[in-house]
C-alpha cells in the first residue's frame, strides 16, 4: 500500500469505530503498510497468492466458481480493495464479485 492512502484508512477507522468486520481484497503484504496492521478490528485478508496478510487464497474474479471458505461466509461491514484492481485482467468482474458481501447490521 502506498503511504498516501494511510490518512484515508485512518479516517475510516476513526469515523466507523471498533468492532467492524473488514474484507481486505489484495491483502498480500508487499510493503510495510497493510490494512490489517492499521485497523484495530477483525480483518480477513484475501489474495491470489499466499503470504503475509493473506487468510484466504482465491482469485476474486472466480469466487462464483468455488465453494466459499468459512471466513467469507458472513457479511462484511467494509471492503477495502487498495492498489489491487490495476493488477487484475478483468477488474470489473472483481468489483462485481465483491457485491456478494453486502454490509448490514449483525445485531
Amino acid at each position: 500500500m502506498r503511504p498516501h492512502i494511510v490518512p484515508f484508512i485512518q479516517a475510516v477507522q476513526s469515523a466507523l469505530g471498533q468492532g467492524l468486520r473488514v474484507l481486505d481484497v489484495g491483502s498480500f503484504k508487499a510493503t510495510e503498510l497493510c490494512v490489517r496492521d492499521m485497523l484495530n478490528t477483525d480483518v480477513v485478508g484475501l489474495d491470489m497468492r499466499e503470504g503475509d496478510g493473506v487468510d484466504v487464497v482465491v482469485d476474486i474474479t472466480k469466487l462464483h466458481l468455488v465453494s466459499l471458505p468459512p471466513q467469507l461466509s458472513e457479511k462484511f461491514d467494509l471492503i477495502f480493495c487498495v492498489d489491487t484492481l490495476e493488477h487484475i485482467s478483468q477488474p470489473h468482474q472483481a468489483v462485481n464479485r465483491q457485491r456478494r458481501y453486502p454490509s448490514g447490521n449483525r445485531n
Side-chain angles (χ1 to χ4, degrees):
M1 173 188 333
R2 291 175 276 169
H4 72 274
I5 297 171
V6 171
F8 168 73
I9 293 175
Q10 290 170 334
V12 168
Q13 175 72 46
S14 177
L16 298 177
Q18 306 294 319
L20 298 176
R21 189 155 194 273
V22 175
L23 177 63
D24 182 13
V25 176
S27 64
F28 182 81
K29 189 174 178 180
T31 68
E32 71 280 352
L33 298 172
C34 73
V35 170
R36 179 183 310 260
D37 294 340
M38 297 180 65
L39 297 178
N40 187 16
T41 193
D42 179 23
V43 177
V44 175
L46 183 146
D47 205 293
M48 294 175 62
R49 57 183 169 167
E50 292 182 12
D52 289 344
V54 180
D55 300 304
V56 178
V57 177
V58 66
D59 182 341
I60 189 75
T61 64
K62 295 180 174 62
L63 279 178
H64 63 297
L65 300 175
V66 299
S67 297
L68 293 179
Q71 299 99 313
L72 298 179
S73 63
E74 296 180 28
K75 292 181 178 182
F76 291 90
D77 299 301
L78 184 63
I79 298 175
F80 277 104
C81 187
V82 178
D83 290 334
T84 300
L85 293 177
E86 67 271 21
H87 302 287
I88 298 174
S89 62
Q90 298 177 340
H92 61 284
Q93 284 187 356
V95 172
N96 285 336
R97 299 297 176 229
Q98 291 176 49
R99 291 155 120 212
R100 279 183 85 157
Y101 306 106
S103 65
N105 294 332
R106 292 174 282 126
N107 298 337

